[in-house]
Amino acid sequence: MRKRALVLSGGGTKGVYQCGAVLALKELGKDNWDIITGTSVGALNAAMLVQGDFEAMDQMYENLESQQIVKGYMPKDLSLQGLIRDHRNVLPVLGDYLKNEGLDISPFLDMVDRYYDPERFFASPVQFGCVAAKKQGSTPVFITKEMMRENGKDWLIASASAYPAFPVKVIDGEEYVDGGYADNSPIDFAMQLGAEEVISIEMHEKVLHPGYLGREHITIIHPQHELFNLLEFDKVKLIRAKTIGYLDTMKTYGVLSGIRYAFTPYQLPAEYDKWYLQVMRLEAMAYRTGGKWTSREPVMETLRLFSHRQSLDYREMFCSSLDVLMTIAGLDDTTVWEYDRARQELTAFFSREDAADADSWADVKAFEGKGEMIRYFMHLIRSPQDQEDIVSKAAMYPFATALADFYLSMIRV
């Protein structure tokens, strides 16, 4: 039997996403790990899972408050640029910050002491690894279970020392900072420890090691869009992130369908093949026109960008197109959808009299034809807040056309 490893990336309070993912893995019977590695908050999560303390890990996030991490002011962005942007809040605590050479993280130190149980940790047969970085040069330090015997708590703190907001951690005279500076998703380390099969749970929309995507025996679970800032303590957002972690894992293993949105498995509509061929013809025509069209695949390329995928197969192209419509309509991405119900919700959204923004596009009362749909999608694409998220300027018209065709031929009830 292959040695199985679980890899947990760093990401601050986004670590709650890993709770949802692990819960799904346990339900699927995929929690018999021989090795667990992690970085930053992923290292603390990994230690608790090595101890067999999933319930404690889950409870930690359920009750999480900012006062459990930092005493006093808590920035949401721990980077130097983030601290500068938030200088109005930083200045009042600047004296203490300089004195401590970072924020006062004494509550976090207490929390690590509370959840890290050396007796249970070393009694477990599961191998452990975490990553810290030397302050000088960000050289990675790969901490094994044996190295944890003398300075276990210190290594966990070092791995999560998000410098410059958090103080540097000194161990045996050497200065260490957050392992994310070296390797925020230690898949390589897990394989060095003997892993032959890896499940990696990451917490960002872009995969940290894209070279591992599609590799046999390596599964990467990650959200399809950014969850929230590094340090977010809003209960609703934390619960949502946990739910998305659960749903993403179920989608990864085929229990549910979809990319961004989760669906019970469904058959593709008969009309889809015709639309798929139309898109290929549309892209070929757009490319032949030259001029501003810079891509041979403006529709497919846009859907790949939207889905944060290097490629999309035949079914995934349908799912991604559906995701775009559901995102525009603001449908709930923590729900498990039935395809027919999604169609009804989308039809209701695009048919209502105020579907278009009355302030900026008051001429359209409802969408009754393809031309109106194309104009509406072009309007959205031109909106600064959506332009980078959905489509490049070069792909605006072909993508809006394909999306209008998609809605009118397969969605509208």
Side-chain angles (χ1 to χ4, degrees):
M1 184 178 290
R2 295 190 186 94
K3 275 194 172 183
R4 296 184 175 92
L6 179 69
V7 177
L8 304 175
S9 78
T13 55
K14 295 177 188 178
V16 70
Y17 176 89
Q18 293 174 344
C19 279
V22 170
L23 177 60
L25 291 172
K26 292 172 80 67
E27 289 183 10
L28 294 169
K30 296 184 178 295
D31 59 337
N32 52 338
W33 306 297
D34 303 292
I35 302 161
I36 306 179
T37 64
T39 298
S40 195
V41 71
L44 181 57
N45 287 346
M48 286 190 278
L49 291 175
V50 167
Q51 294 165 189
D53 284 340
F54 172 71
E55 289 75 15
M57 171 183 161
D58 195 38
Q59 187 181 46
M60 178 182 76
Y61 288 102
E62 189 173 320
N63 301 313
L64 197 59
E65 296 180 351
S66 62
Q67 296 88 343
Q68 294 174 290
I69 306 296
V70 169
K71 190 174 182 180
Y73 164 68
M74 164 66 82
K76 289 186 177 181
D77 183 349
L78 299 184
S79 68
L80 181 58
Q81 293 84 354
L83 294 173
I84 292 171
R85 282 195 301 269
D86 200 18
H87 65 278
R88 290 183 181 178
N89 289 316
V90 173
L91 287 175
V93 297
L94 187 59
D96 289 337
Y97 177 88
L98 294 173
K99 179 182 176 183
N100 297 320
E101 297 184 336
L103 299 170
D104 183 349
I105 62 167
S106 54
F108 174 67
L109 307 185
D110 293 339
M111 189 171 75
V112 173
D113 197 39
R114 186 163 63 253
Y115 287 105
Y116 171 56
D117 185 339
E119 185 175 343
R120 297 187 66 179
F121 180 82
F122 289 107
S124 169
V126 180
Q127 284 183 271
F128 170 85
C130 72
V131 182
K134 290 185 178 180
K135 183 189 175 187
Q136 194 69 28
S138 299
T139 306
V141 180
F142 300 102
I143 298 102
T144 63
K145 196 169 186 178
E146 188 57 36
M147 291 170 64
M148 294 282 288
R149 289 192 181 276
E150 287 189 18
N151 300 301
K153 177 184 173 183
D154 290 338
W155 283 124
L156 291 177
I157 293 166
S159 184
S161 292
Y163 180 81
F166 283 18
V168 169
K169 181 62 182 175
V170 179
I171 302 175
D172 294 333
E174 183 77 60
E175 293 183 320
Y176 298 96
V177 294
D178 196 293
Y181 285 107
D183 188 353
N184 204 30
S185 181
I187 296 174
D188 293 344
F189 189 19
M191 291 194 290
Q192 290 170 20
L193 292 174
E196 298 164 303
E197 186 175 321
V198 173
I199 299 172
S200 177
I201 306 174
E202 301 184 3
M203 296 177 285
H204 302 280
E205 60 184 355
K206 294 184 179 178
V207 171
L208 295 168
H209 296 301
Y212 283 125
L213 286 171
R215 294 289 189 93
E216 194 70 22
H217 310 311
I218 296 180
T219 301
I220 300 177
I221 300 165
H222 69 105
Q224 301 305 310
H225 52 94
E226 287 298 334
L227 299 170
F228 43 68
N229 290 323
L230 192 64
L231 289 175
E232 177 65 67
F233 296 89
D234 182 276
K235 298 291 185 186
V236 173
K237 292 182 180 179
L238 293 174
I239 291 170
R240 176 177 177 274
K242 179 182 176 181
T243 302
I244 291 174
Y246 178 89
L247 295 176
D248 283 346
T249 305
M250 288 301 189
K251 285 183 285 185
T252 298
Y253 288 98
V255 177
L256 297 174
S257 180
I259 299 178
R260 176 170 180 172
Y261 285 83
F263 285 82
T264 56
Y266 60 91
Q267 297 252 333
L268 294 177
E271 300 86 353
Y272 175 58
D273 196 59
K274 181 180 178 182
W275 177 83
Y276 186 83
L277 292 170
Q278 282 180 335
V279 168
M280 287 195 290
R281 294 188 189 101
L282 175 66
E283 290 183 322
M285 182 181 68
Y287 185 72
R288 283 198 304 270
T289 63
K292 64 182 179 180
W293 307 114
T294 58
S295 170
R296 188 178 287 272
E297 299 178 306
V299 179
M300 180 66 86
E301 183 179 272
T302 299
L303 292 174
R304 285 197 297 262
L305 289 170
F306 181 81
S307 301
H308 304 287
R309 299 286 181 97
Q310 292 180 325
S311 63
L312 292 170
D313 63 24
Y314 180 75
R315 184 180 184 89
E316 288 170 339
M317 189 171 174
F318 179 90
C319 294
S320 183
S321 302
L322 187 55
D323 281 347
V324 173
L325 290 178
M326 294 178 74
T327 300
I328 290 171
L331 300 186
D332 183 10
D333 60 0
T334 63
T335 295
V336 178
W337 289 87
E338 299 283 343
Y339 176 63
D340 284 343
R341 183 187 161 211
R343 288 180 62 202
Q344 291 166 5
E345 292 284 344
L346 288 171
T347 301
F349 175 82
F350 288 114
S351 299
R352 75 187 201 273
E353 290 188 357
D354 61 343
D357 183 352
D359 293 331
S360 57
W361 212 57
D363 293 340
V364 175
K365 297 294 184 182
F367 301 107
E368 297 177 354
K370 180 177 173 179
E372 290 179 351
M373 290 295 296
I374 293 173
R375 288 167 59 204
Y376 176 65
F377 292 134
M378 289 284 284
H379 163 70
L380 285 181
I381 290 163
R382 289 192 184 103
S383 300
Q385 67 269 25
D386 293 319
Q387 186 172 323
E388 293 182 0
D389 292 338
I390 294 182
V391 63
S392 67
K393 287 183 179 179
M396 281 195 293
Y397 183 76
F399 181 68
T401 301
L403 203 58
D405 279 332
F406 183 86
Y407 171 76
L408 293 169
S409 62
M410 278 168 289
I411 303 301
R412 187 168 64 175
V413 178

